[in-house]
Amino acid sequence: MNSKIVPVLAIDGPSGSGKGTVGQLLAERLGWHFLDSGALYRALGIAASRVGEALLHDADALARLAVSLDIRFVPQPSGAPVRVILNGTDVGDAIRTEDSGRLASIVAAVPQARAALLQKQHAFRRMPGLVADGRDMGTTVFPDAILKIFVTASAAVRAERRYKQLKEKGFDANLRRLLDEIRERDARDAALTASPLKPAADACILDTSSLSISDVVDRIHGLLQERLAR
Ligand code: C5P
């Protein structure tokens, strides 16, 4: 079957915009598959750093590693982050740490690594549909998505959300440092030459700074129903 007929809902935006939770809740409500593309970059960063930090800066070796990466996602109920199985081992909380975010954004800046992960992302496009969460879902990976949403929130709101998340998990967190890290990561992601963080020309922009998760889910769900009915 031509995978192009499988509808894709692309949800892009910066870290902490809430797109991951929103995307997963939407996938659950719709009964669609879910792609957490950030987890692919995080897994590649972790796998590369396990071989040695030097690999992070070797474009060809990174691309080879990306192609050989055995990565599986196990969806969790109620918007909880998907479990990630990397080469047969559950990478558990390691995948959600600030350090894996840092590693992810280093490998994400390598065009060869991005190209190597494209096919893995396309493989998630299966019936009855796919909710794809990331930074370049609407611009590069699924340019023919039926609906493209670009979710934003101020850096201060995103840092606060991340702070609460970490505290709830019992991790140590420093709000000031998180805000600095978010600003640094935004700057790095916006400067990527291969896939800069920017909305697709035909994306709907949704600022979630003062919206609850369920408001955001309802709003996107409504927009999607309109598109599907066309
Ligand atoms: O979304 P998440 O915070 O897990 O993403 C981690 C990092 O992976 C991002 O900061 C970004 O550098 C990179 N990434 C990307 N393209 C995507 C998803 C993530 O470059 N589609």
Side-chain angles (χ1 to χ4, degrees):
M1 186 187 55
N2 181 358
S3 69
K4 295 270 180 193
I5 64 168
V6 178
V8 176
L9 165 60
I11 306 183
D12 291 304
S15 310
S17 56
K19 66 190 158 60
T21 313
V22 164
Q24 214 171 323
L25 288 169
L26 278 160
E28 244 176 74
R29 192 189 281 190
L30 295 160
W32 287 12
H33 300 280
F34 178 64
L35 166 62
D36 174 356
S37 63
L40 282 182
Y41 285 94
R42 286 169 182 265
L44 179 60
I46 292 174
S49 74
R50 282 182 181 168
V51 177
E53 290 264 334
L55 193 79
L56 289 168
H57 307 285
D58 179 340
D60 293 333
L62 255 186
R64 280 195 299 276
L65 183 67
V67 169
S68 71
L69 212 60
D70 171 17
I71 177 154
R72 274 172 299 124
F73 291 151
V74 185
Q76 302 296 305
S78 308
V82 284
R83 301 303 293 178
V84 181
I85 315 293
L86 176 61
N87 297 330
T89 310
D90 187 336
V91 277
D93 290 332
I95 200 109
R96 306 286 161 205
T97 59
E98 294 308 308
D99 195 48
S100 89
R102 176 187 69 85
L103 294 170
S105 83
I106 295 173
V107 299
V110 179
Q112 291 90 329
R114 302 197 74 86
L117 287 181
L118 259 186
Q119 203 192 340
K120 285 207 186 300
Q121 296 174 84
H122 288 158
F124 281 80
R125 187 171 195 172
R126 281 176 283 126
M127 278 301 202
L130 174 69
V131 179
D133 149 7
R135 302 223 169 3
D136 57 349
M137 299 296 101
T139 50
T140 309
V141 184
F142 301 109
D144 61 340
I146 188 166
L147 177 65
K148 300 175 185 179
I149 304 284
F150 192 86
V151 189
T152 63
S154 68
V157 167
R158 287 184 284 133
E160 222 161 280
R161 286 179 185 163
R162 185 76 186 128
Y163 177 81
K164 276 195 199 137
Q165 243 176 22
L166 289 169
K167 283 286 180 192
E168 273 162 23
K169 284 191 196 155
F171 288 120
D172 229 12
N174 176 307
L175 189 56
R176 182 73 237 171
R177 204 167 54 227
L178 283 172
L179 183 58
D180 288 345
E181 277 167 4
I182 281 183
R183 287 192 172 133
E184 260 172 47
R185 184 131 38 112
D186 280 357
R188 209 163 33 216
D189 288 349
L192 286 182
T193 43
S195 260
L197 175 62
K198 64 169 196 307
D202 51 350
C204 306
I205 313 240
L206 193 57
D207 187 333
T208 67
S209 299
S210 57
L211 293 176
S212 70
I213 294 282
S214 64
D215 285 342
V216 180
V217 169
D218 287 345
R219 221 175 264 200
I220 300 177
H221 189 257
L223 287 171
L224 181 67
Q225 294 312 319
E226 275 172 29
R227 286 288 161 95
L228 289 169
R230 270 186 199 171

